[in-house]
Amino acid sequence: MTEKLTMAQALNRALRDAMAADGSVSVFGEDVGRLGGVFRITDGLAAEFGEDRCFDTPLAEAGIVGVAVGMAMNGMRPVVEMQFDAFAYPAFEQITSHVAKMRNRTRGQVALPMVIRVPYAGGIGGVEHHSDSSEAYFAHTPGLHVVTPSDPADAYGLLRAAVASDDPVVFLEPKKLYFGADEVDLDLPVPPIGRAVVRRPGTDATLIAYGPSVPVALDAAAAAAVEGRSLQVVDVRSLQPFDDDTVCRAVRSTGRAVVVAEAPGFVSVASEIAARVTERCWDALAAPVGRVTGLDIPYPPPRLEHLHLPDVDRVLDAVDDLRWERGE
Amino acid sequence: MRPDPEGLLPATEPVTLIDSDGAPVTPARAAVPPASELVAALGAMITARRFNDQAYALVRQGRLAVYPSSHGQEACQVAAARVLSDGDWLFPTYRDTAAVVARGVDPGQTLTLLSGEWHHGWDVATHRVAPLTTPLATQLPHAVGVAHAARLRGEDTVVLALCGDGGTSEGDFHEALNFAAVLRAPVVFLVQNNTFAISVPLSRQTAAPSLAHKGAGYGIPGQRVDGNDVAALLAVLGAAVDAARTGGGPQLVEAHTYRMQAHTNADDATRYRDDDEVAVWSRRDPVERLRTFLTRRGDVDEARLAAFADDAERLAARLRDELAADLRHDPSELFEHVYATPTPQLREQLAMLRDEATRDTPAGGSR
Ligand SMILES: Cc1ncc(C[n+]2csc(CCOP(=O)(O)OP(=O)(O)O)c2C)c(N)n1
């Protein structure tokens, strides 16, 4: 059965269905109870499942994540919300030193089946600290799964998969996509974490994107088609584990690639993708892998964010630079 | 010598000098500030109220990205600024722009960041007002550092650091108090307990008898004060500043007040609180209370009140003017202050923006 849902509604449905399916799932964080979260992702959960299963915590992110660790050690599946990307930083110690390492430190005895939901990235006209692309911090930390959906259907499926995962998942929600609606099939089997997907077929070059940058890549591919160039778009979806197979197969099929991501480009997930693709597809590449990323600056204010974010023009410029004079 | 724990604990009742009807409370638990000071505070509060409401309106007009209003908290805002000397420092949060204005910063500059700029506007060193801080409680250790450095440098500076009730749950609040106490840093922590952290009521924030009780665990005296009574605030905060300045170490003051409006214009407070509760607090309005008190005592007359209203109107008009102009940016600003000297990579990225800008002009033709 399919339903038209916004990404926010799809996430809400995923939490509701996960809580209904498994009594050990509980949801907590700042303002997630009565208010339903500042983005309303937890709307109605406290009313439906009671205060024990969806509750407001004291305002302390390290505490929220730390308590979730303990609950996960004792048979629960906590799903916690960090209110905004930059407000997850007080929990950094808990996430990097404990959430990421507990399994390894205990020789596999203690798993932490928990999800840390983080509304992230820009494009919403937010003031400082409300638009960070923080994925590299998490993806760089061994022991964490990091996923990010780009449409309502994946939001639903990936969040169900994250809650079901026995390893901790940092679930990054592109907040600029929260309120875009699409058809979602709620009955599909829960997809595995770690699979990229080809969003648009194409033969001339491959755009590799994730989360908030996927719509940008799709728009660029549509624009390129008008100019007579066929661009394939791959949605990475899972930053860790990374689906080398799907991404490399796609790149090999076109021989050219551009990575598109909002985060500052220096030492970024985009850098990692470019490096992996270069190593694995070198013989098939007609040009160095391009990158279109955010600038290496603190996230700029509302009226200047367009200067920072990858857009269609920058993507097409990067595609133009892929040594077309060399043929093939 | 270890402090006597009893001496660190706050009294059961917050200090109130003027009750919500504008009548003096007897017996007074502290000296009521002189009339001249209260009259000046009234003027500043009338201005602060006007500033709050003008800023809120400017969001609707698209001139501000967001505004967390301190409507209802003007007594705290004004007292926090007025108890400080020129050489002292103020560490505000996003909700404390009215305190920044009361400290003498230009109203338009105060709202620079909220207007959608990439920086905080005012000259931090001249005004001795730190940038507004949004990540909760993270400014508090900075306040301790500034105070400690002042002591090491032989200055008699006091630092007043603001935070909300929600902020007291963050680790940085506790680390700041502990450092301040161990270092005997001259910091006054003023917690504006407005009973909500966005939607979360105080009862979910703490199980302590009061937020002021949190001082005792660190060896810091805690006090509670009626946050809608500027006379009590000036008396209690003034004494706390004096104590900190004269070697008494850090002080914690909890002011009981109320956030009369939604968290910001983006919030819908009807989802989590009743109008009845808001109505109770509107009868405790800090501006009305002081106006009644001073009018009854004959310390202000209609002419004086009219003059205050005029001053507030002038400030609002200035604010409107300052924010009316569209922001004009040279993109190079985004790169200029990331480091003392832009890195080669930043210079490259600036060149890319410049190149795009020339191509985007109609003559150059965009793609
Ligand atoms: C570290 C951090 N976490 C979360 C937030 C998001 N946030 C902004 S204001 C706020 C509530 C703060 O409440 P309180 O400290 O009582 O101050 P008030 O807003 O009532 O003045 C929250 C949760 C933040 N700014 N910083």
Side-chain angles (χ1 to χ4, degrees), chain A residues 61 83 87, chain B residues 94-95 134 136 165-167 170 194 196-197 263:
Chain A
E61 295 75 13
Q83 200 158 76
F87 304 146
Chain B
Y94 52 89
R95 197 171 304 287
T134 296
L136 297 166
D165 42 299
E170 291 281 6
N194 63 14
F196 279 100
H263 173 66

Side-chain angles (χ1 to χ4, degrees), chain B residues 247-312:
Chain B
Q251 312 285 318
L252 173 63
V253 177
E254 174 187 14
H256 295 267
T257 182
Y258 195 76
R259 197 194 73 211
M260 293 300 292
Q261 294 175 337
H263 173 66
T264 67
N265 48 286
D267 175 38
D268 174 9
T270 62
R271 285 177 71 100
Y272 52 82
R273 71 183 187 189
D274 294 332
D275 289 347
D276 295 355
E277 186 184 298
V278 182
V280 168
W281 278 93
S282 67
R283 289 195 289 278
R284 300 175 187 161
D285 186 76
V287 185
E288 261 331 295
R289 179 189 302 207
L290 184 62
R291 193 191 336 248
T292 307
F293 176 80
L294 292 175
T295 310
R296 277 197 203 136
R297 284 210 321 194
D299 292 329
V300 289
D301 55 15
E302 286 304 321
R304 193 69 193 267
L305 291 173
F308 284 153
D310 285 348
D311 289 347

Side-chain angles (χ1 to χ4, degrees), chain B residues 19-91:
Chain B
D19 72 16
S20 47
D21 296 327
V25 173
T26 47
R29 283 162 64 191
V32 176
S36 60
E37 174 55 14
L38 291 179
V39 171
L42 177 62
M45 284 165 63
I46 290 170
T47 295
R49 171 66 52 87
R50 188 70 191 85
F51 173 80
N52 269 325
D53 296 346
Q54 181 62 67
Y56 209 77
L58 284 166
V59 178
R60 282 198 298 274
Q61 295 156 26
R63 289 290 161 188
L64 288 179
V66 66
Y67 186 64
S69 178
S70 62
H71 186 121
Q73 300 176 216
E74 288 90 350
C76 296
Q77 296 283 301
V78 163
R82 293 192 71 81
V83 293
L84 297 179
S85 308
D86 283 351
D88 293 339
W89 276 81
L90 181 70
F91 274 75

Side-chain angles (χ1 to χ4, degrees), chain B residues 147-148 151 178-187 219 243-244 246-251:
Chain B
H148 186 54
R151 279 215 333 159
N178 192 41
F179 269 74
V182 169
L183 298 173
R184 281 191 83 72
V187 184
T246 53
Q251 312 285 318

Side-chain angles (χ1 to χ4, degrees), chain B residues 1-3 8 140 144-145 147-148 151 173-189 214-221 247-252:
Chain B
M1 201 188 65
R2 296 278 153 188
L8 299 176
L140 303 179
V144 177
H148 186 54
R151 279 215 333 159
F173 172 84
H174 298 269
E175 297 184 25
L177 261 65
N178 192 41
F179 269 74
V182 169
L183 298 173
R184 281 191 83 72
V187 184
V188 175
F189 298 96
K214 291 175 187 265
Y218 301 103
I220 296 178
Q251 312 285 318
L252 173 63

Side-chain angles (χ1 to χ4, degrees), chain A residues 31 34-35 40 43 51 56 58-61 83 128-129 227 295-297 301 303 313-314 316-317 320, chain B residues 113 115-118 120 135-136 166 169-170 197-200 204-205 271 346 349 353 356 359 367:
Chain A
D31 300 287
R34 186 146 181 203
L35 184 64
R40 306 288 183 265
D43 195 18
E51 290 260 311
D56 290 326
L59 214 171
E61 295 75 13
Q83 200 158 76
E128 59 175 4
H129 314 298
E227 293 178 6
L295 306 168
D296 294 320
I297 59 173
R303 273 170 271 206
D313 281 348
R314 280 189 197 159
L316 294 181
D317 284 348
D320 281 348
Chain B
L113 187 99
S115 76
E117 265 287 9
W118 52 275
H120 275 262
L136 297 166
S169 294
E170 291 281 6
I198 309 187
S199 72
V200 180
R204 294 225 56 120
Q205 212 59 253
R271 285 177 71 100
L346 287 179
Q349 291 171 25
L353 285 197
E356 284 179 350
R359 281 191 294 156
R367 324 186 48 108

